[in-house]
Amino acid sequence: MPAHTDSLPAVRVQRDGAIALVTLHNPPVNALSTAVRQGLQQAFAELSHDADVHAIVIAGSGANFIAGADIREFGQPPQAPSLPEVCNQIEASDKLVIAAIHGAALGGGLEIALSAHYRVAVDTAKVGLPEVALGLLPGAGGTQRAPRLIGAAAALDLMLSGRHASAKEALRLGLIDHIATSNDIAAEGVAYARSLLADGAPIRRTGEQTAALADRAAQQAAIDAARAEVAKKKGLFSPSKIVDCVQAALDQPFADGLATERDLFTQCLHSPQRAGLVHLFFAEREVTKSPETQSAKPRPFEKVGVIGGGTMGAGIAVSLLDAGLNVTMIERDDAALALGQSRVAKVYDGAMAKGRLTEEGKAAILTRFQGSTHYDALADADLVIEAVFEDMAVKKAVFAELDRVCRPGAVLATNTSYLDINEIAGSISRPQDVLGLHFFSPANIMKLLEIVVPAKVSADVVATGFALAKKLKKVPVRAGVCDGFIGNRILAVYRTAADHMMEDGASPFEIDAMVRAFGYPMGPYEMSDLAGGDIGWATRKRRAATRDPKARYVHIADRLCERGWFGQKTGQGWYVYEAGSRSGKPNPAVEPLIAEERAKAGVTPRPFTREELERRYVAAMVNEGARVVEEGIALRPLDVDVTLVHGYGFPRHKGGPMKYADLVGLPQILADIQSFAKEDPLFWQPAPLLVRLVQEGKNFDSLNHG
């Protein structure tokens, strides 16, 4: 067998009478490296000539069967044999082939299993075809074999969602044939092979199966329904190609279907979305590493306090409860506490209504949830998260109480969106214990958690923030202290660019339409209505004293707020909302108000093309992103990308603003900024980092490594 980096070979063959056990060994997850593929090819070539072997069992060592492609080989020139060749060789074997699955069989791992003639799995195994998350489709026969085993509807659901299915679901669907009774997968695989041989089970090649696709009309209906659903997800490339592949599975002989799959896989491989999605895949792993997580261990935490039971505090409490932690909520009086507790209960009632939670399950969760109107209830808390009104005096009063009651070594966190955490930390006797944990609303759903690092914080406190994010299944991004940290600071700038375009002649509805067409779920004015226009208004008023008097200021949003038009919560904002409706229609009163403000500002409105709007919006985002990196507020450009994708709706398939700028070309972005600067040199000052990278012929990605 080919040698491997570990002391064991990548593929090992052992004989047990008439059964050969082929075990894969590629720690940590048995990914399909070149050595594994070569080993499988060699093992099957040798076993095909062994007359004493009647069945071959493929199993994985360690914790998994095969968790997918080897990410260490991403971007490397492909090495023979290819995975499709290996899968076809396994399926063509004239020995009975059994895949024995434990842990994960994902992507290429499941494609190997589908190439076997039978599949057995332990009950904790999970299977899936998640290639869509990387802008790809299963390219080693998965799109042809899965429909032949489980039909078009179930195969499309797995491939378009990228989700993992349990062993029980896989058995019900027909992806696997048998669930093992013990976790000794090698022994179970051999025993299952022995029983198949004893029963005279035939070689059952997946590519020759026809039953699941027999009802052609039903299969076509499932494909048509999936195609209609995919069409709603504008801009994504690989989902429609997955549907095309399943159509080929229905229409074409197996060999032709494999050729169609290979062609469409290659198209996906070369699509620009592939670059963006792969970048995000690696970036999401990199953001979990910070200088503090490398140098310090987190403090233990089981008991967590939450100060405030408003929308944000309740969402944070749910997130903590979902992670199995004990939570104590503090509110100022009994009425506010009861309201906070009811907000938490309402989330679990919603989960029960959807069948995701039982009454007993809800009761069990709420036994870990306490409430109090006294800070003394936090005397033994390991970690406290403050989520009260965004006002420095209010925050300092809370931290003074925490300083009084919390035990030494407790981590004291603030969920502020903008305020100076150094000032908060400096107001108490233990600044080394103070950290920013900026959750995004709704906190129990949104994945992003900005971990804001003030000047005097201990490294182990920062490491605790990252450990909490992992426990909560959130994506952590390390941020430095400044007004708005990474995300809200950049948001403020591109929202200002949008306001400038609106005053110059574009309608807010045109701008929202452009942003949606770019790939965001909603535009900035729709977002403002959703969040509440008063939130941004309060921020603008707070910043008014420090605003450069020479900087352009657009008053239109303030005029809406002065009329009490805060968006969805008041029934109108930029849009008008019928009672109970989340979707609005353009507010006809907005355009005259905009015209009035244009006249006051002496602006003659001009038309913008969608491309002009997009270039300004993106350039403002990228330029401020470059400043955030240059100042060390973000460690690397990829931290900006992850923040904007997970917290602000930047389209994932474009990789984040900094990756997107690399794909467009930094010289083009800089040229745009310099062109816009002719109208407004103060707002459109090119970030020095952007200028330097262009001069040196480098891109943002060059700063992500090292």
Side-chain angles (χ1 to χ4, degrees), residues 102-117:
H102 75 303
L106 301 174
L110 182 55
E111 289 182 296
I112 289 277
L114 295 178
S115 307
H117 306 143

Side-chain angles (χ1 to χ4, degrees), residues 288-465:
T288 61
K289 303 167 191 167
S290 80
E292 295 84 2
T293 61
Q294 311 298 310
S295 67
K297 285 195 162 55
R299 297 179 186 179
F301 55 89
E302 283 179 18
K303 298 175 181 173
V304 185
V306 176
I307 316 295
T311 304
M312 185 56 84
I316 293 170
V318 169
S319 195
L320 295 164
L321 289 167
D322 285 349
L325 296 163
N326 297 296
V327 179
T328 301
M329 177 181 279
I330 305 293
E331 258 294 5
R332 62 185 179 278
D333 55 45
D334 290 334
L337 180 60
L339 192 56
Q341 289 173 315
S342 74
R343 286 188 179 108
V344 171
K346 188 178 174 187
V347 173
Y348 291 114
D349 290 340
M352 283 169 55
K354 289 174 183 163
R356 293 179 189 157
L357 186 67
T358 62
E359 186 71 55
E360 298 75 32
K362 176 189 168 186
I365 291 168
L366 293 182
T367 58
R368 292 184 278 103
F369 182 42
Q370 316 299 322
S372 179
T373 55
H374 300 289
Y375 280 87
D376 296 329
L378 301 177
D380 62 348
D382 304 308
L383 167 70
V384 181
I385 302 168
E386 164 277 306
V388 301
F389 188 65
E390 193 78 345
D391 176 275
M392 183 59 83
V394 176
K395 304 263 189 201
K396 282 183 176 176
V398 168
F399 271 80
E401 287 296 296
L402 297 179
D403 199 13
R404 178 179 68 80
V405 305
C406 289
R407 64 171 180 77
V411 174
L412 310 181
T414 173
N415 177 56
T416 180
S417 304
Y418 291 97
L419 299 180
D420 184 349
I421 301 175
N422 285 324
E423 188 178 332
I424 295 171
S427 71
I428 65 169
S429 67
R430 40 171 131 174
Q432 72 278 5
D433 294 333
V434 177
L435 181 69
L437 290 176
H438 181 210
F439 288 80
F440 287 71
S441 187
N444 54 307
I445 294 169
M446 292 289 279
K447 289 288 188 193
L448 182 66
L449 181 60
E450 276 185 312
I451 295 175
V452 191
V453 181
K456 294 184 177 173
V457 69
S458 295
D460 64 343
V461 171
V462 179
T464 307

Side-chain angles (χ1 to χ4, degrees), residues 138-220:
T143 68
Q144 302 306 296
R145 291 188 176 97
R148 282 172 166 81
L149 282 179
I150 62 175
L156 282 163
D157 171 55
L158 274 182
M159 291 187 283
L160 292 173
S161 68
R163 69 183 180 86
H164 300 167
S166 67
K168 285 188 181 66
E169 184 188 1
L171 180 68
R172 180 173 56 76
L173 291 175
L175 268 182
I176 64 170
D177 304 294
H178 179 66
I179 292 184
T181 52
S182 82
N183 287 326
D184 184 344
I185 193 59
E188 289 284 351
V190 169
Y192 184 52
R194 199 163 274 134
S195 73
L196 288 170
L197 289 175
D199 292 343
I203 287 173
R204 192 189 58 182
R205 296 189 174 93
T206 307
E208 296 169 0
Q209 303 308 301
T210 57
L213 294 177
D215 184 346
R216 187 177 170 84
Q219 302 308 307
Q220 190 60 58

Side-chain angles (χ1 to χ4, degrees), residues 67 104-108 110 126-138 153-166 169 175 230 233 236 238-239 242 281 652:
L106 301 174
L110 182 55
K126 58 183 180 179
V127 301
L129 294 165
E131 288 85 351
V132 70
L134 292 177
L136 291 175
L137 52 83
L156 282 163
D157 171 55
L158 274 182
M159 291 187 283
L160 292 173
S161 68
R163 69 183 180 86
H164 300 167
S166 67
E169 184 188 1
L175 268 182
V230 161
K233 297 174 182 171
L236 289 176
S238 69
I242 289 171
F281 177 82
R652 183 182 182 84

Side-chain angles (χ1 to χ4, degrees), residues 10-12 14 20-26 30 36 40 44 56-62 64-66 97-102 112 120 184-190:
V11 175
R12 202 169 24 146
Q14 297 160 287
L21 176 64
V22 176
T23 307
L24 314 183
H25 179 77
N26 183 22
N30 285 336
V36 170
L40 277 168
F44 271 80
I56 302 169
V57 176
I58 308 171
S61 63
N64 294 291
F65 177 66
I66 304 168
V97 183
I98 296 93
I101 302 167
H102 75 303
I112 289 277
V120 56
D184 184 344
I185 193 59
E188 289 284 351
V190 169

